[in-house]
Amino acid sequence: MCVSVCVYMRKRHSPFTPSQQRTSSKLTALQILNPETMEYTGNKKILPNPVLLQDEELYKYLLDTSVYPREPEPLKELRQATAKLPNACFGTSPDAGQLMAMLLKLGNAKKTIEVGVFTGYSLLLTALAIPHDGKIMAIDRDRTTYEIGLPIIQKAGVEHKIDYIESPALPVLDNLLGEPKNEADFDFAFVDADKGNYWNYHERLMKLVKIGGIVVYDNTLWGGTVAKPEEVVPENKRELRRHAVEFNKLVSADPRVEISHASIGDGIIICRRIC
């Protein structure tokens, strides 16, 4: 059976337009998300990491010229629905999504692992990119936000590709590895998850994804903070910055993959498994 895996965690780059990001940047405090209850403290939106392309006019040009005109209507609808949420910055940025869709098609992916669901933008773009007989195993600890995108996914006619599992990620990946038939059986993986577990995901994906397959990790530059001394980084970003720095160091030295570290969205590392 053709299967693709989506593992839920928190997204950090923003689906907002640059002008919306300017508005949100005026907020003075972060709203804190409780991952167990999906409730927030305070009344302010969660602030996104700044996109790495700091020139807002140039970023708007990129979106208006190359991304939005080619964005499928279901993805546009889901992006706009996500933008209304207080934690909308967890959504996949459309320019990063466009690159991911191209990678899926270039690799003729049918069985993929996506680590991160939220409202389902990355899940929907995967479902639209893979063939009709492809499948997506979507793993998410809480399907509350996924329910926002589900009607749009259904309307797009791709729900039949999705096998959704409400669960933490690592146990599901370990269960997959418990069956030898799943080793080297996936074509592609996308990880946008808890940063402290990126290397744990990587070790498992190096067994699940075939040689020649692609793994993409999101938020690897963490708003540019990875290049700054920790003492000048806002305190609320330091722990995740440390996770990103450590993962980048480890994966860059991993002889099992070829890599490209792309400064798109909040930074993505593209890995091609070679052994």
Side-chain angles (χ1 to χ4, degrees):
M1 182 178 68
C2 294
V3 184
S4 158
V5 181
C6 267
V7 184
Y8 168 80
M9 291 297 170
R10 304 297 183 214
K11 313 227 174 174
R12 289 298 190 272
H13 35 256
S14 174
F16 291 140
T17 64
S19 61
Q20 289 173 314
Q21 292 186 50
R22 286 196 296 272
T23 300
S24 66
S25 68
K26 297 176 182 177
L27 300 177
T28 58
L30 290 176
Q31 187 181 41
I32 304 301
L33 175 68
N34 183 325
E36 301 300 327
T37 65
M38 293 298 290
E39 295 178 350
Y40 299 86
T41 60
N43 297 313
K44 291 182 169 59
K45 289 183 177 180
I46 296 175
L47 303 182
N49 280 335
V51 294
L52 295 172
L53 188 59
Q54 296 296 308
D55 187 319
E56 292 186 359
E57 290 183 354
L58 183 56
Y59 186 55
K60 183 178 185 301
Y61 170 82
L62 183 153
L63 293 175
D64 291 345
T65 303
S66 304
V67 179
Y68 291 155
R70 291 176 172 270
E71 185 179 37
E73 192 61 32
L75 286 177
K76 177 181 179 181
E77 184 179 354
L78 183 47
R79 174 171 55 82
Q80 292 174 340
T82 301
K84 299 174 183 177
L85 302 178
N87 55 338
C89 59
F90 293 164
T92 301
S93 64
D95 50 337
Q98 185 183 60
L99 175 59
M100 188 171 115
M102 180 171 288
L103 290 171
L104 285 159
K105 294 174 182 177
L106 286 172
N108 297 314
K110 293 178 69 174
K111 304 176 70 171
T112 84
I113 301 176
E114 284 187 36
V115 183
V117 175
F118 190 46
T119 58
Y121 188 92
S122 59
L123 175 60
L124 176 56
L125 72 85
T126 300
L128 291 170
I130 63 177
H132 182 78
D133 59 346
K135 293 291 181 181
I136 305 171
M137 184 188 299
I139 308 171
D140 195 314
R141 288 187 301 184
D142 190 312
R143 66 179 287 137
T144 303
T145 51
Y146 172 60
E147 293 288 345
I148 296 171
L150 183 56
I152 300 171
I153 291 171
Q154 292 170 332
K155 186 168 64 173
V158 293
E159 186 189 10
H160 69 280
K161 301 180 184 182
I162 299 168
D163 178 16
Y164 187 97
I165 300 175
E166 189 171 11
S167 169
L170 290 176
V172 175
L173 297 179
D174 286 337
N175 286 339
L176 286 172
L177 287 170
E179 299 185 36
K181 67 179 182 179
N182 292 322
E183 293 193 15
D185 199 38
F186 295 88
D187 304 311
F188 184 97
F190 174 60
V191 181
D192 188 356
D194 54 326
K195 311 313 170 194
N197 267 322
Y198 264 32
W199 188 252
N200 290 327
Y201 293 134
H202 185 73
E203 289 288 3
R204 289 157 176 80
L205 292 173
M206 288 298 99
K207 299 174 183 176
L208 290 168
V209 173
K210 69 182 183 181
I211 292 176
I214 300 294
V215 184
V216 177
Y217 296 95
D218 201 5
N219 302 119
T220 52
L221 296 179
W222 202 240
T225 61
V226 293
K228 300 179 183 298
E230 182 169 293
E231 58 269 20
V232 304
V233 175
E235 189 171 346
N236 65 300
K237 291 182 179 290
R238 290 181 183 178
E239 181 180 0
L240 295 177
R241 171 198 170 276
R242 286 194 293 268
H243 289 319
V245 168
E246 181 63 19
F247 174 72
N248 293 346
K249 179 181 178 181
L250 290 170
V251 77
S252 294
D254 188 352
R256 296 170 294 182
V257 295
E258 298 173 330
I259 72 166
S260 173
H261 205 158
S263 55
I264 187 172
D266 196 23
I268 60 174
I269 290 182
I270 303 168
C271 301
R272 176 176 177 267
R273 185 186 170 196
I274 58 175
C275 65

